Amino acid sequence: MAIVQLSAGPQRSVALDNQGAAWGWGAFKTAYPGLQDALPAELCFTNKTEIGHRRYAQPYAQMLNPGTPFRFIADGSTHILGACETGALLACRPVIAPEHGAAHQTVQAIPKGIRQLATMQTVSLAVLENGDVWSWGFNHQGQLGRPAQPAQNPAAALDGLPAIASLACGSAHALALDESGSVWSWGANQAGQLGHGTLKSCNRPAKVELPESITAIAAGDTHSMALDATGQLWAWGSNNHGQTGSADGAYFTDPVMIQTDFPVRQIDGGLFYTAALSEQGEVFVWGWNGLGQAGLSRPHSSPQAVQIAGLPPVTTLAAGAGHVLVSDGLTVFAWGDNRSAACGRAAQDTVVLTPNSIRLV
């Protein structure tokens, strides 16, 4: 079994293997109460002082889609998106019956040919093979990237964009990388995360001015990053914990150059922190360490990159709100916020400081 994609959300972890099986752990509920004895770490206490109050915490990976292979996944705030081999798009609830997988419904109106899925807190997006972007959900801060009502909106295509290669989403903002290497952004902008030189939100895509052609983009909760064709890293948005990698300001409304001591292959962002993968397969984290994201035992905020020890050469990573997922192609490792068992350990271990290997069966 080879791992082809990882998705880390606020409280869950999802991995997709090369057979199209999606595996989920963390804030999932088991549909059959009779399985409680077999899965004893699933928690939902009514005592507000207990860990797990009003939270499900399932450390064991379970298959979400038996018999329905996925091509792409994206974990969201309330659901997990899965693009099927058949062309259908499913929104899966975090409720799993082992024989049937996750409860789900089909997302209507999305054309076939999905290239990528992405989610914000209240919005979902899809990039099609032809480069079109579709969005659906709530629009109270312009997250849909098109004129729409603040309340729930059905799926529709964005206009005013060239053909898009990939998307990256924060809590309430989106980045789009077009096929010529330019970056576009829209949505919330209270910390300058759109990179437009202002703090004004934007409900339509607008170009981010960057000096070089861009090859990769990433977004944290309220900060954004881009890697250019020369290997240079750029960042903008909130920097209250050093999450951009700069020590020079609390936020940036325009992209700033970030120096690293290693060549960057992949980047991703979470809540006030950034995770990066080097060309050599090493993993580095900077920014906020309040939940162990940087593998340090003390609360810590710094723009200085910290290397994560105890990992084999890594090929891909994904940053959740407070936990990190990585894989060497065969095994998934996780660390950080484990209050919902998103790191694959019982939720009583609220913070996991060293990479924990996840068993997919």
Side-chain angles (χ1 to χ4, degrees), residues 166-187:
S166 65
L167 292 172
C169 290
S171 175
H173 78 288
L175 306 177
L177 176 63
D178 71 28
E179 294 181 352
S180 67
S182 294
V183 178
W184 304 74
S185 63
W186 64 91

Side-chain angles (χ1 to χ4, degrees), residues 85-112:
E85 296 284 357
T86 61
L89 177 60
L90 302 184
C92 302
R93 293 175 56 214
V95 178
I96 301 176
E99 293 182 1
H100 306 288
H104 62 267
Q105 62 183 24
T106 301
V107 180
Q108 302 295 333
I110 306 292
K112 293 184 178 181

Side-chain angles (χ1 to χ4, degrees), residues 121-341:
Q121 190 169 7
T122 61
V123 167
S124 300
L125 302 102
V127 185
L128 305 186
E129 292 289 353
N130 64 4
D132 287 350
V133 176
W134 286 63
S135 65
W136 62 101
F138 290 83
N139 196 48
H140 55 284
Q141 296 186 80
Q143 304 98 306
L144 290 180
R146 53 184 172 85
Q149 297 297 317
Q152 180 72 28
N153 292 270
L158 278 67
D159 56 21
L161 277 172
I164 295 301
S166 65
L167 292 172
C169 290
S171 175
H173 78 288
L175 306 177
L177 176 63
D178 71 28
E179 294 181 352
S180 67
S182 294
V183 178
W184 304 74
S185 63
W186 64 91
N189 195 37
Q190 68 271 32
Q193 61 263 45
L194 297 186
H196 297 166
T198 73
L199 295 176
K200 184 179 179 180
S201 297
C202 184
N203 65 3
R204 287 183 178 274
K207 187 179 287 189
V208 180
E209 296 300 327
L210 287 153
E212 300 286 344
S213 178
I214 299 302
T215 60
I217 53 175
D221 188 64
T222 53
H223 69 291
S224 304
M225 296 150 286
L227 187 66
D228 72 24
T230 71
Q232 176 63 55
L233 182 62
W234 300 83
W236 58 97
S238 61
N239 193 45
N240 52 328
H241 290 274
Q243 58 264 47
T244 66
S246 172
D248 293 335
Y251 65 90
F252 303 102
T253 60
D254 291 298
V256 295
M257 189 181 296
I258 305 300
Q259 300 299 333
T260 62
D261 296 329
F262 56 91
V264 178
R265 181 195 303 175
Q266 185 190 352
I267 48 174
D268 201 3
L271 180 64
F272 311 140
Y273 77 96
T274 296
L277 174 62
S278 77
E279 290 287 357
Q280 290 74 36
E282 305 156 316
V283 177
F284 297 84
V285 176
W286 59 90
W288 184 53
N289 184 60
L291 294 167
Q293 304 94 314
L296 302 175
S297 59
R298 67 188 187 282
H300 175 79
S301 292
S302 173
Q304 299 299 316
V306 175
Q307 185 174 353
I308 304 299
L311 287 168
V314 166
T315 57
T316 188
L317 65 76
H323 72 289
V324 185
L325 300 178
V326 303
S327 176
D328 62 356
L330 297 175
T331 304
V332 179
F333 300 86
W335 67 93
D337 181 9
N338 193 56
R339 293 173 296 176
S340 294

